[in-house]
Amino acid sequence: ELSGVVHFILDTVRAVLERGDPFRADSLYRLLAQVDNQEVDAVVARLLVHMVRGMDGITKQDLLAWFEATRGEVPKHLRDATDGADHAGAQAQREADGSPEHTTGITFVTETA
């Protein structure tokens, strides 16, 4: 079951597009102004990241900067989603470049008592 915020976002995008207007960064910022930080759960955060990825004139960094500038903080789920999207983007770039999927590195293992 999708949250009311997801439905609100999708309904807003649909309404803008049905009017024949493009959904741009300013449209997204107006939409976000109506969503509280605590309403940004993991699903909403991933939706926002995917939306920004498909839009011209806005980046994930712009999205994070908007929250920082207007709210004083970035919702945890959104920060996590952008970090994960960066990792997924790097993986996709390696695959496109033909780079090996696995690279050597150091793994730290800790024990808890």
Side-chain angles (χ1 to χ4, degrees), residues 4-56:
V5 175
V6 171
H7 288 285
F8 168 72
I9 292 170
L10 296 175
D11 289 346
T12 301
V13 171
R14 184 182 65 220
V16 169
L17 296 176
E18 285 178 348
R19 282 196 314 262
D21 297 329
F23 192 86
R24 295 192 175 125
D26 60 328
S27 305
L28 180 62
Y29 294 140
R30 280 193 305 274
L31 180 151
L32 291 175
Q34 300 178 59
V35 176
D36 293 330
N37 279 16
Q38 64 269 17
E39 294 178 300
V40 180
D41 61 13
V43 174
V44 171
R46 284 193 309 269
L47 174 60
L48 292 173
V49 169
H50 285 290
M51 288 173 65
V52 167
R53 189 180 297 152
M55 294 173 66
D56 292 330

Side-chain angles (χ1 to χ4, degrees), residues 25-102:
D26 60 328
S27 305
L28 180 62
Y29 294 140
R30 280 193 305 274
L31 180 151
L32 291 175
Q34 300 178 59
V35 176
D36 293 330
N37 279 16
Q38 64 269 17
E39 294 178 300
V40 180
D41 61 13
V43 174
V44 171
R46 284 193 309 269
L47 174 60
L48 292 173
V49 169
H50 285 290
M51 288 173 65
V52 167
R53 189 180 297 152
M55 294 173 66
D56 292 330
I58 185 171
T59 65
K60 291 178 291 186
Q61 290 75 23
D62 295 332
L63 180 63
L64 297 177
W66 182 89
F67 274 96
E68 200 60 57
T70 60
R71 307 279 174 84
E73 67 178 354
V74 175
K76 178 194 179 314
H77 292 293
L78 183 57
R79 187 167 302 282
D80 292 347
T82 56
D83 289 344
D86 290 341
H87 177 72
Q91 175 67 26
Q93 185 63 44
R94 281 194 303 275
E95 290 172 3
D97 292 343
S99 301
E101 183 174 335
H102 299 286

Side-chain angles (χ1 to χ4, degrees), residues 96-111:
D97 292 343
S99 301
E101 183 174 335
H102 299 286
T103 58
T104 58
I106 299 173
T107 301
F108 292 95
V109 179
T110 59
E111 278 186 32

